[in-house]
Amino acid sequence: MDLRQMEVVVAVAEEGGFTAAAQRLHVVQSAVSSTVRALERELGTALFDRTTHRVSLTPAGEAFVPAARATLRAAEQARSAVDVVQGRLRGRVTVGTMQGVWADLHLPLAALRAEHPEVSVRLRQAAVTDIRQALREGTVDLAVVALDRQQQRGLVTRLLSHEEMVLVSAPERALAGSGAEGTVTLAEAARLPLVDFTPGWAIRLSVDRAFRAAAVEREPTFEVNDIVAASELVRNDLGVCVMPGSIATRFPDLRTHRFDRHAPSWKVMVVRPRGEAPPAVAALLRHMT
């Protein structure tokens, strides 16, 4: 058994198939298949259940993949330790992020590229619950996400920003009962057609929490998993949407309304697993403020 075999198996497991794994590893599919078969013969058991439509891990595969990931991380750390002694830094950093905050990463990523051009970065955009699981599994090295206190357990966190959310509407929509400064209440917002994000999104979790705390019930008219799609629905006056103020500013043609009180809010932070950060991860963290 060697590191390359482990890398191939992990790629198949993470990509969900041999073709996608081959594309990720830049090899032909037959090479991936033969590598997996050779390892399965050596182990004396199948690692994957193969059907016409999908590939899934067997119980043996479920046990093998986490151990393989840990071995690959240890090998990468060993290489990085030698690189640091030689005055160079290489490797790959996988960064998890949510929609709405990934654009803010361009400055630290550019600084990392200028300082260490041999470090590659892989961005993984997903719902906050999926990113939290990926941090636990080790498939993400660090993440820029909004987590509540319970979700932060077992992680090293550093606060990047804390902001309130606003209600976004089409310019021509007049909100009944809005205050002189354009403020609205959660109860008034609940009576409007709402464009909501899907469960599991950090924005949705924060909005749900605020409405529950205010004892206000609401029923979404639309549920979307894309910020641009939400803005288009609002722009066409099909509904209103609650989103962080920093995201709302990206749509200057839409109208924003502050909540008079109990506004939903979120805390965006950089998070990573406990323990010493690998050199490439530490280098990126230095540029995140």
Side-chain angles (χ1 to χ4, degrees), residues 11-80:
V12 174
E14 292 180 352
E15 300 297 332
F18 289 81
T19 301
Q23 293 172 347
R24 167 171 153 179
L25 298 171
H26 305 292
V27 298
V28 296
Q29 181 179 335
S30 59
V32 172
S33 298
S34 62
T35 298
V36 172
R37 284 196 300 268
L39 182 56
E40 288 177 327
R41 284 195 299 269
E42 180 180 344
L43 294 172
T45 186
L47 297 175
F48 296 98
D49 282 325
R50 302 158 174 85
T51 67
T52 304
H53 301 291
R54 70 187 185 95
V55 173
S56 59
L57 288 168
T58 63
E62 293 280 2
F64 180 86
V65 168
R69 286 195 186 111
T71 300
L72 291 170
R73 285 197 300 271
E76 180 64 30
Q77 290 171 356
R79 283 192 292 266
S80 297

Side-chain angles (χ1 to χ4, degrees), residues 149-163:
R149 184 169 299 177
Q150 183 176 1
Q151 291 171 325
Q152 296 173 33
R153 292 177 181 174
L155 297 172
V156 177
T157 67
R158 189 172 78 223
L159 182 66
L160 296 178
S161 65
H162 181 200
E163 65 173 322

Side-chain angles (χ1 to χ4, degrees), residues 1-9 25-27 32 35 72:
M1 186 187 308
D2 57 35
L3 293 176
R4 180 60 177 175
Q5 290 174 313
M6 295 183 187
E7 183 182 20
V8 170
V9 170
L25 298 171
H26 305 292
V27 298
V32 172
T35 298
L72 291 170

Side-chain angles (χ1 to χ4, degrees), residues 198-232:
T198 53
W201 272 49
I203 296 176
R204 176 65 179 266
L205 293 172
S206 297
V207 172
D208 285 346
R209 188 164 53 245
F211 275 88
R212 281 197 305 269
V216 175
E217 295 185 1
R218 79 188 197 285
E219 185 65 35
T221 304
F222 298 95
E223 280 190 355
V224 297
N225 62 356
D226 181 81
I227 288 171
V228 174
S231 71
E232 284 299 314

